DNA sequence: CTGGATCCGAGACGATACTG
DNA sequence: CAGTATCGTCTCGGATCCAG
């Protein structure tokens, strides 16, 4: 990490930053994927998202929504009604991303069982080695 | 998470044990993507990975490699030479994943500038609102 | 209904030192 | 070369309470 430039108006700290890995870390984060996929079918409300993304807390949903909105992936629309109504929808950029995410989720679904099996086998081998080491 | 309503949102991404979210969180984690992409061109050694994945520490590289190996995505081959030589290569399952990850990284590269711009605009609006609130 | 604010434990992560 | 062990820091993320 480069030290902060001490000279004038160094708001340029960000220009070199934001490597691809950073972008992906935001976008492919634990909750972001779920939110984007859930919002892909059209405008969706806060509570609907909370139910759609299994296991997310209200706090993390809020934070994830803010992050995605800040990155220009979500548009937040507030309807000044009582009770309040807020809808989130994907931007074009996010819609492009969604297509890629779908191939990811598809892969994950197809290989979920394989991964579980691989883990079991790995752990078993590990235990075996531990036994022989002890013996 | 007790009651499961019989109604909509059945197309949620995760719905059972070892949810897709878990899989994706492992596989699309901050460092995993970089490692998989770096290992896609063929067997690659530890130190080569360390240089290929920008910003990763030795510790995180080790942990990431173990995790991916455990999930059945990487094969670790040790050559009993002096000095030691260890090579990592993708499994077929991981090679499939790699294709999806390429579309992701491609998206990230294409929209990196857009995201930075969106952030700047968002932060600016935020500051403006703060000013009016103070005034 | 849609959040924000705060507290706090758990895990991620980097730096450093040591090993076969 | 390819790791492991330990430590301290920091962020993530849940729980809870409060508000428009």
């Amino acid at each position: 990490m480069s030290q902060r430039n001490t000279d004038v108006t160094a708001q340029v700290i960000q220009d070199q930053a934001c490597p691809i890995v950073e972008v992906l870390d935001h976008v492919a984060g634990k909750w972001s994927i779920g939110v984007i996929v859930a919002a892909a079918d059209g405008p969706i409300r806060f509570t609907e998202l909370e139910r759609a993304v299994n296991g997310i807390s209200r706090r993390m949903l809020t934070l994830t929504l803010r992050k995605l909105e800040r990155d220009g992936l979500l548009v937040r629309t507030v309807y000044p009604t009582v009770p309040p109504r807020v809808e989130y929808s994907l931007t074009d950029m996010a819609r492009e991303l969604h297509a890629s995410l779908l191939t990811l989720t598809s892969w994950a679904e197809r290989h979920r069982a394989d991964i579980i099996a691989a883990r079991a086998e790995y752990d078993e081998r590990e235990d075996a080695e531990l036994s022989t080491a002890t013996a």
Side-chain angles (χ1 to χ4, degrees), chain A:
Chain A
M1 267 308 170
S2 55
Q3 284 295 333
R4 209 179 76 99
N5 209 341
T6 52
D7 79 338
V8 281
T9 62
Q11 47 200 318
V12 205
I13 309 174
Q14 313 280 359
D15 68 340
Q16 56 81 29
C18 199
I20 305 301
V21 72
E22 292 288 335
V23 176
L24 291 178
D25 197 33
H26 273 197
V27 141
K30 185 173 183 181
W31 302 117
S32 304
I33 297 179
V35 168
I36 291 175
V37 171
D41 292 332
I44 187 171
R45 301 184 56 178
F46 187 87
T47 313
E48 293 173 334
L49 276 169
E50 196 176 358
R51 269 182 291 113
V53 182
N54 199 333
I56 197 171
S57 66
R58 195 139 64 241
R59 172 183 147 85
M60 287 319 294
L61 179 54
T62 300
L63 292 181
T64 303
L65 288 171
R66 291 291 166 275
K67 195 173 67 179
L68 293 177
E69 189 194 355
R70 187 167 104 102
D71 283 356
L73 295 169
L74 280 184
V75 175
R76 180 169 177 266
T77 311
V78 183
Y79 299 93
T81 61
V82 177
R85 174 193 186 86
V86 180
E87 284 185 350
Y88 296 88
S89 52
L90 298 189
T91 62
D92 290 344
M93 183 165 67
R95 227 165 271 284
E96 250 183 82
L97 172 63
H98 176 237
S100 297
L101 292 183
L102 279 188
T103 73
L104 254 196
T105 57
S106 163
W107 179 91
E109 281 169 10
R110 276 185 286 118
H111 293 288
R112 193 174 57 91
D114 299 336
I115 290 178
I116 295 178
R119 273 183 208 172
E121 191 183 348
Y122 184 95
D123 293 345
E124 200 173 320
R125 253 203 311 268
E126 197 179 43
D127 289 348
E129 288 172 16
L130 262 173
S131 305
T132 55
T134 313

